[in-house]
Amino acid sequence: MHGEQHYLVGLDLAGKRVVVVGGGTVAQRRLPRLVAAGARVEVVSPEVTPAVQGIVDAGDAVWHRRRYEAGDLDAAWYVLACTSDPEVNARVTADATAQRVFCVRADVAVQGTAVTPAVGEHDGLLLGVLAGGQHRRSAAVRDGLLSALRDGSLTDQHERFAGVALVGGGPGDPDLITVRGRRLLARADVVVADRLAPQELLDELPQHVEVVDAAKIPYGRAASQEFINTTLVDNAKAGKFVVRLKGGDPYVFGRGFEELIACAEAGVPVTVVPGVTSAFGVPALADVPVTHRGVAHEVVVVSGHVAPDDERSMVDWDALSRLRGTVVILMGVERAGAFAAALRAGRPGDTPVAVVQEGSTRAQRVVRSTLDSLAADVVEHAIRPPAIIVVGPVAGLASELPFRTS
């Protein structure tokens, strides 16, 4: 083939019969998009992969559990020949051609009458790229276009944003923000940023974007919640698109719902973008799975901003101490000894504990301890916020690794 000679077109397959011959990994990759397009998909194959079986079991496709036979393409609008047998694929393609039905031949694309482009979706756009059979090239170009659209370096003039977006920035590493979060950030007129939000992302913003510091420094200076709410509402009502950039997830001890309520009461539309919560993401980066088969069947995430004996505490520490699973304490460095003592009421003193300071950043530190030693270790290692405390058997699993990644 000299260059790309295909005619790129969008097919309306809704309600139309599409035949997929073969039930292997190629079919597994193609079926979800065919189903999403509303096609009446029929799979012809003696065997299928578990994923294809799941699509069939869900009622999204019909499986003819046998080899391909003459007549299987009758009344079909589109055909995919994707078996592992070249002779079967050739026969399917020949039969489809005889019936003037376009057919994709997966093993030798140039011998089919249609080809599948590298496809991607972005906010209502469906992108398709063909490169004359050079699959890696078409996939690379598709990925580049999607990345540029998502990070804002390629502008989609159709997109119009209004109101406020509550965006979870993840635990600190700028690469851990969601694709949607990064895209909305690139469209912001005003960014109201927490101290724990990925600060490197602010440096990427255009010069015209106003950045409002909404930092809450532990035991120090802090922007009031009233100030933050007013900033969000006033800017949005002035016609600006406001991104409230938070660390972790907006709804995990992030006061995100308080801000949503304030915006809703003022008639300001809000988009919520979940983030990777530090409660789970940071332990993972320190080789601590918050759950593990046969070790922990429950995870409890606790705010450590008040001590166990504080009248404001809403935590049943007696019940928590009797649980056998994982306890993750956020904002608990100052009162680590008090939390350890409360949990010690129902757990052994040698219960493993992992403390992860500034998780996901270049400054990440991990201290391995126990309930009995936690208070002393926090002082000895000069642990300071932000830090995550993980209590339970999972905190000791890293010692079983042949190497340590943290």
Side-chain angles (χ1 to χ4, degrees), residues 3-318:
E4 178 54 67
Q5 64 182 27
H6 290 98
Y7 185 78
L8 194 62
V9 65
L11 297 179
D12 179 4
L13 296 177
K16 298 177 177 65
R17 184 171 187 258
V18 173
V19 178
V20 178
V21 183
T25 56
V26 176
Q28 177 179 325
R29 292 171 59 186
R30 301 292 178 244
L31 282 175
R33 196 169 294 280
L34 290 171
V35 170
R40 293 191 296 108
V41 181
E42 298 186 29
V43 179
V44 180
S45 179
E47 299 178 346
V48 298
T49 67
V52 173
Q53 176 75 65
I55 293 173
V56 171
D57 291 346
D60 293 327
V62 174
W63 177 23
H64 302 286
R65 194 170 186 169
R66 55 172 172 76
R67 295 184 179 277
Y68 173 73
E69 299 174 355
D72 279 341
L73 307 187
D74 291 351
W77 288 70
Y78 192 58
V79 176
L80 287 83
C82 50
T83 75
S84 58
D85 187 336
E87 292 185 4
V88 174
N89 290 339
R91 184 154 66 95
V92 172
T93 303
D95 289 350
T97 302
Q99 296 182 229
R100 297 187 178 182
V101 179
F102 282 107
C103 178
V104 174
R105 180 170 173 179
D107 57 341
V108 188
V110 295
Q111 294 185 15
T113 55
V115 292
T116 302
V119 177
E121 293 185 54
H122 168 75
D123 197 37
L125 293 176
L126 182 62
L127 306 178
V129 180
L130 295 175
Q134 299 179 55
H135 305 299
R136 291 189 177 184
R137 183 184 182 194
S138 59
V141 171
R142 178 221 34 214
D143 293 344
L145 287 171
L146 289 174
S147 177
L149 284 166
R150 289 166 176 167
D151 67 20
S153 55
L154 177 61
T155 302
D156 175 7
Q157 295 299 328
H158 171 74
E159 293 182 302
R160 294 290 183 270
F161 298 100
V164 171
L166 302 178
V167 175
D173 185 334
D175 285 343
L176 295 180
I177 190 174
T178 64
V179 170
R180 181 167 175 75
R182 192 160 196 144
R183 179 168 66 89
L184 294 180
L185 188 62
R187 294 291 187 270
D189 299 307
V190 178
V191 176
V192 182
D194 275 354
R195 183 180 69 92
L196 298 181
Q199 299 301 304
E200 292 92 335
L201 295 178
L202 301 179
D203 190 46
E204 299 175 6
L205 296 172
Q207 290 298 315
H208 72 274
V209 178
E210 179 186 357
V211 176
V212 178
D213 183 3
K216 291 182 178 353
I217 300 174
Y219 323 120
R221 181 175 59 85
S224 71
Q225 192 60 52
E226 181 181 0
F227 165 77
I228 294 171
N229 294 348
T230 300
T231 301
L232 298 178
V233 170
D234 288 352
N235 279 282
K237 284 193 167 184
K240 299 175 182 179
F241 178 53
V242 186
V243 169
R244 174 71 168 106
L245 184 62
K246 295 173 169 289
D249 182 277
Y251 284 179
V252 181
F253 301 127
R255 299 192 178 184
F257 203 70
E258 292 182 40
E259 293 166 8
L260 181 142
I261 291 172
C263 290
E265 290 177 344
V268 172
V270 178
T271 299
V272 178
V273 182
V276 177
T277 174
S278 58
F280 298 157
V282 165
L285 295 173
D287 300 327
V288 179
V290 293
T291 67
H292 188 66
R293 185 171 58 170
V295 176
H297 288 182
E298 80 267 353
V299 183
V300 180
V301 182
V302 182
S303 168
H305 77 286
V306 295
D309 59 355
D310 192 303
E311 62 181 12
R312 296 171 297 168
S313 177
M314 301 173 67
V315 179
D316 186 340
W317 285 96
D318 288 337

